[in-house]
Each structure stands twice: as C-alpha cells, then as structure tokens.
C-alpha cells in the first residue's frame, strides 16, 4: 500500500461534519493527489446528512465535486462516513458501499474513513478516524501510526478550540446547499477558520 497523509483541513472537516449532525448518518468525499508513493488527502467535501442513498443527488454531487477537484489538480481519492448509532463503525450499508466502490473502481489506492462516534468529544484527545485503504481488491485497515496527520498534536489542540467554539455550525454540506443554493458547499469560510485555528497552535 502507498504511504498516506491527511491534511489538517481534511481531518477537521470530517470531524466537524460529524459533530454538526450527531443524530444523523453523514458522508462525504476526500480529495487528494498521489505523489511518488504517497497519497496525500488534501481536502474533504461534506455531502449529505438527510438521505445518503438518493442516487440522483449523489450523482449530481459527484459530478460537481469531480469538476472542482480537476480544476484544483486533485482527484476524488476516498469516501468518509459516520453512522447514526454511536457504536456503529461499519461501512457495509448499501449507500456507503455503492459510492466507496465506485471511487475504488476509478482510483486504485482509494481510502475509506469511518468516524468512531464514541471517540467524538470536545476534548478531542484521541483521533476518531478509522481508516482503510483499497488494495488487491479489498479494503484493508490502516493503523493510525502508519498515517501522517499534518500538525500532529497541534491538530488535536486546534480541534479542541474548533469544537469548543462550535465552528461546526459554519460547515455547509451538499444537503444544506440543495436547500439554499447561496450556501457554499466548498466551505471557503470554514477553510479559513480551520487554517487560523491551526496557525494559533504553532
């Protein structure tokens, strides 16, 4: 398998999406690039929290996200999710499987990330992400110690401040955008907030 790294922005947006809708299942896409033997997860795009398996909506979102990714020199390299049940870290529901397998068909080193709801706390003293990577036709679990998370301990401290200040309220997913098209599903404002929180820890 390739080396794997997560940007602080991608990590934060996954966690904030789950924090905004703790009572719902949520999902989203991971954007990145392959450099030498390292897959760099650069950004995350929050998709849905209402109805994850609505095919026309998913197709529309995938098409729009893919175009944005291409314009940034990136590709869709993975999928993330959180289930509504606090103890559920499975990824085998039809809605999750359909999108993640489609991504894996188009990108050999695809990543599947599941948020462990039990590890979601304001203190954020532990990483709640469970990450698998597609290899030899299967999803294989990656130990967190084998993955490089940008900023390390500073990232957890930045997440504490983001959660304490309820910055997840600023996150816009595709469901929000479909309800009000003036809302920015690319989350430029939130990106700035995340970058500032991280900078304050350095």
């Amino acid at each position: 398998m390739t080396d794997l790294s997560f940007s602080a922005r991608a990590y934060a947006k996954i966690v904030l999406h789950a924090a905004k809708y703790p009572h719902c299942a949520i999902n989203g896409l991971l954007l990145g690039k392959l450099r030498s033997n390292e897959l760099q997860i650069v950004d995350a795009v929050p998709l849905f929290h209402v109805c994850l398996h609505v095919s026309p909506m998913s197709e529309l979102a995938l098409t729009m996200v893919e175009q944005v990714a291409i314009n940034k020199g990136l590709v869709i390299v993975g999928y993330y999710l959180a289930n509504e049940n606090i103890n559920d870290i499975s990824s085998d529901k039809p809605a999750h499987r359909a999108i993640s397998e489609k991504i894996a068909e188009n990108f050999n080193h695809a990543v599947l990330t599941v948020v462990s709801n039990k590890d979601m706390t304001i203190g954020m003293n532990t990483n709640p992400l469970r990450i698998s990577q597609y290899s030899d036709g299967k999803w294989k679990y990656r130990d967190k110690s084998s993955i490089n998370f940008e900023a390390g301990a500073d990232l957890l401290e930045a997440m504490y401040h983001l959660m304490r200040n309820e910055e997840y309220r600023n996150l816009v997913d595709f469901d929000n955008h479909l309800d009000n098209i003036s809302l920015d599903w690319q989350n430029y404002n939130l990106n700035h907030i995340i970058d500032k929180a991280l900078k304050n820890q350095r």
Side-chain angles (χ1 to χ4, degrees):
M1 286 188 282
T2 59
D3 293 334
L4 185 58
S5 67
F6 267 73
S7 73
R9 179 179 293 178
Y11 175 92
K13 284 161 86 171
I14 295 169
V15 173
L16 292 173
H17 194 194
K20 184 174 182 179
Y21 300 105
H23 56 294
C24 300
I26 56 101
N27 68 353
L29 300 173
L30 303 175
L31 306 185
K33 54 192 173 185
L34 191 60
R35 289 276 178 88
S36 299
N37 195 46
E38 182 182 39
L39 175 58
Q40 301 171 347
I41 309 295
V42 175
D43 204 354
V45 180
L47 290 183
F48 302 109
H49 67 274
V50 175
C51 195
L52 278 58
H53 55 271
V54 179
S55 184
M57 301 298 187
S58 298
E59 290 296 330
L60 173 63
L62 283 165
T63 299
M64 291 178 67
V65 174
E66 184 175 38
Q67 190 56 56
V68 167
I70 289 170
N71 292 340
K72 294 180 177 180
L74 305 172
V75 292
I76 297 173
V77 299
Y79 178 76
Y80 75 84
L81 67 104
N83 294 303
E84 60 269 36
N85 187 313
I86 192 169
N87 295 309
D88 188 358
I89 56 170
S90 67
S91 58
D92 56 0
K93 293 181 175 66
H96 300 319
R97 193 164 58 244
I99 299 178
S100 59
E101 290 180 356
K102 182 173 183 178
I103 293 169
E105 285 175 10
N106 294 305
F107 187 75
N108 291 334
H109 308 288
V111 171
L112 175 60
T113 300
V114 180
V115 179
S116 172
N117 294 315
K118 289 195 297 185
D119 294 328
M120 288 283 292
T121 64
I122 288 182
M124 294 308 298
N125 55 2
T126 187
N127 183 336
L129 305 188
R130 303 291 179 268
I131 299 167
S132 300
Q133 191 167 19
Y134 199 72
S135 179
D136 300 325
K138 296 179 181 178
W139 292 105
K140 298 182 179 180
Y141 179 73
R142 293 286 301 262
D143 188 271
K144 284 183 245 184
S145 64
S146 72
I147 302 168
N148 178 41
F149 291 91
E150 179 190 1
D154 286 344
L155 176 56
L156 290 179
E157 189 64 26
M159 284 308 306
Y160 166 73
H161 290 284
L162 290 168
M163 295 284 278
R164 186 187 65 182
N165 295 331
E166 300 183 355
E167 297 295 359
Y168 48 80
R169 295 181 184 278
N170 291 301
L171 180 137
V172 176
D173 67 10
F174 215 79
D175 266 329
N176 301 140
H177 175 72
L178 291 173
D179 288 338
N180 180 353
I181 61 171
S182 70
L183 297 177
D184 172 29
W185 61 268
Q186 295 188 59
N187 285 287
Y188 286 117
N189 181 51
L190 182 62
N191 289 344
H192 175 72
I193 291 170
I194 294 168
D195 292 346
K196 184 177 180 181
L198 189 62
K199 184 178 180 181
N200 288 342
Q201 302 310 313
R202 289 176 171 166

